[in-house]
Amino acid sequence: MGHSLDTLVDVLKTAGEPTRFRLLALVAAGDLTVTDLTEILGQSQPRISRHLKLLAEEDLIERYQEGAWAYFRLKREGTAAALVRTLLTAVSIDDPILARDRERLATVKQARAERAQAYFSRNAAEWDELRRLHVSDAVVEKALLKLVGRTPVDSLLDLGTGTGWILQLLSDVYRRAVGIDASRDMLSVARANLDKAGIVKASVRQGDILNLPLDGQDFDLVTIHQVLHFLDQPERAIAEAARILRPGGRLLIVDLAPHNLEYLRDEHAHVRLGFSHETMAEWLEKVGLDVQEVVDLAADRQGGPSLTATVWLARDRRLLIADAPAAKEMTPA
């Protein structure tokens, strides 16, 4: 698709300034704050902020808030953003200025990873204890990949993304993805993991999964992995996930089957002790989703308590309703 003369000139004029081009190259490699960019480019914060404002006005970058911090990333949609990506591929990888920027970016990402690891280490003992009760990650991974399938997904939303495990697991499936979590510490871990894996088509941001900072009907696949048992009203999170789905989109839920380990309430903040097939089916039906598959994954643990994980795959039925008249016309009389 071609660009109009006005669009072409405006984008080239905005991106053609050296500092702004360097900023575009940096935010194309991941989500960065003004502080990050100031440290990398060695320029003042007001100057960097002014350039970012001009790039945003031209719709070349997007900005999102996370507490007191604002993050910036290269916009993935739109003709202007597509033109910028073309420009970025045209520049020599050996350019000394951009090469130095990449070195400083690597230093910033390394510091980010070290902060994330420090948080992870402080909580490792607690997480290891819980992990011993669960079915192995490998078993869950195999089940999820089988249910999601190999058909490409345009857009993925991971609610309660935590360490960003789902975003990494399904990175070969989606074109773009967003992870939402309420904890800034966990988002730091997720960003560090995405940096390490070199995944730039996914971003994470802070948000309440009961009141998502996103427009409705914008995602083909929504995942909720081991989150609902922490919620007082998990059905509200399911309703919010359904609101976000496009017609015919899918919701994938992984959570605990009913159990009687009461100590998890006090020691690990579990609010609900698992969910039955019947309860989950009722909640999904209420928000217009049809259950397609349910898989129980029992932990293979000899002696002592263990937890069974259940995977539910449901689909938004609106596409099926829309197709119904056409299907009826094709049916022989």
Side-chain angles (χ1 to χ4, degrees):
M1 180 179 178
H3 307 283
S4 71
L5 179 60
D6 287 344
T7 297
L8 190 62
V9 170
D10 288 343
V11 171
L12 291 175
K13 188 184 301 182
T14 303
E17 196 277 335
T19 295
R20 289 197 287 271
F21 193 87
R22 293 168 68 188
L23 287 170
L24 288 169
L26 288 167
V27 297
D31 301 14
L32 297 168
T33 66
V34 173
T35 301
D36 294 333
L37 295 167
T38 299
E39 181 177 339
I40 294 168
L41 269 63
Q43 298 184 20
S44 70
Q45 185 164 324
R47 179 179 172 83
I48 295 296
S49 296
R50 184 168 64 253
H51 283 306
L52 290 171
K53 182 175 183 293
L54 292 171
L55 292 171
E57 288 174 350
E58 201 59 47
D59 210 25
L60 302 181
I61 62 173
E62 56 181 320
R63 175 188 187 278
Y64 64 89
Q65 199 74 25
E66 185 176 297
W69 296 92
Y71 281 85
F72 298 86
R73 65 184 282 109
L74 188 64
K75 205 168 182 65
R76 295 196 62 85
E77 310 294 336
T79 57
L83 179 55
V84 166
R85 291 185 183 280
T86 301
L87 293 173
L88 289 173
T89 60
V91 70
S92 170
I93 193 171
D94 297 322
D95 180 87
I97 294 176
L98 295 182
R100 187 168 63 249
D101 287 349
R102 287 195 299 272
E103 291 175 2
R104 292 173 177 171
L105 173 62
T107 300
V108 166
K109 288 188 173 184
Q110 178 60 33
R112 177 190 290 179
E114 289 172 358
R115 289 193 298 270
Q117 183 58 46
Y119 167 76
F120 199 86
S121 297
R122 289 196 300 271
N123 295 274
E126 177 182 334
W127 291 336
D128 285 344
E129 179 186 345
L130 279 177
R131 194 175 292 113
R132 283 194 292 270
L133 298 174
H134 286 247
V135 62
S136 72
D137 289 343
V139 172
V140 177
E141 178 179 322
K142 183 178 179 181
L144 295 189
L145 291 174
K146 181 179 179 181
L147 287 171
V148 170
R150 296 182 178 274
T151 303
V153 172
D154 179 68
S155 50
L156 164 72
L157 175 65
D158 184 32
L159 299 181
T161 196
T163 63
W165 182 68
I166 291 290
L167 299 177
Q168 297 171 76
L169 176 65
L170 301 180
S171 62
D172 290 337
V173 177
Y174 59 77
R175 185 180 68 85
R176 67 179 179 93
V178 177
I180 299 289
D181 205 286
S183 167
R184 288 191 62 193
D185 286 324
M186 291 308 299
L187 290 174
S188 296
V189 174
R191 283 197 187 93
N193 287 337
L194 292 174
D195 287 343
K196 184 177 180 180
I199 300 172
V200 297
K201 60 183 179 178
S203 64
V204 295
R205 58 189 66 178
Q206 190 174 35
D208 178 0
I209 68 173
L210 302 182
N211 185 22
L212 294 170
L214 301 165
D215 295 329
Q217 302 186 37
D218 197 32
F219 291 89
D220 301 295
L221 176 63
V222 177
T223 54
I224 311 177
H225 178 257
Q226 297 292 7
V227 173
L228 296 180
H229 59 263
F230 291 108
L231 305 178
D232 185 51
Q233 295 179 292
E235 66 273 23
R236 286 184 56 198
I238 292 173
E240 188 69 346
R243 179 184 71 81
I244 290 295
L245 278 176
R246 290 172 177 163
R250 295 178 295 168
L251 172 61
L252 185 70
I253 297 173
V254 184
D255 219 291
L256 302 176
H259 63 86
N260 58 4
L261 302 183
E262 286 284 346
Y263 78 92
L264 294 180
R265 294 188 192 273
D266 295 328
E267 296 183 22
H268 297 284
H270 287 208
V271 177
R272 308 293 288 262
L273 298 184
F275 306 96
S276 67
H277 292 189
E278 294 76 18
T279 296
M280 192 65 71
E282 179 182 333
W283 287 341
L284 293 167
E285 168 73 21
K286 188 175 181 180
V287 296
L289 303 181
D290 294 322
V291 176
Q292 291 193 312
E293 292 191 57
V294 181
V295 179
D296 288 320
L297 304 171
D300 183 15
R301 188 167 182 241
Q302 301 298 320
S306 64
L307 297 170
T308 294
T310 303
V311 186
W312 292 267
L313 180 66
R315 185 180 290 274
D316 184 305
R317 68 172 68 107
R318 285 173 295 174
L319 186 62
L320 301 178
I321 294 174
D323 288 346
K328 186 175 182 180
E329 289 175 9
M330 294 173 62
T331 303

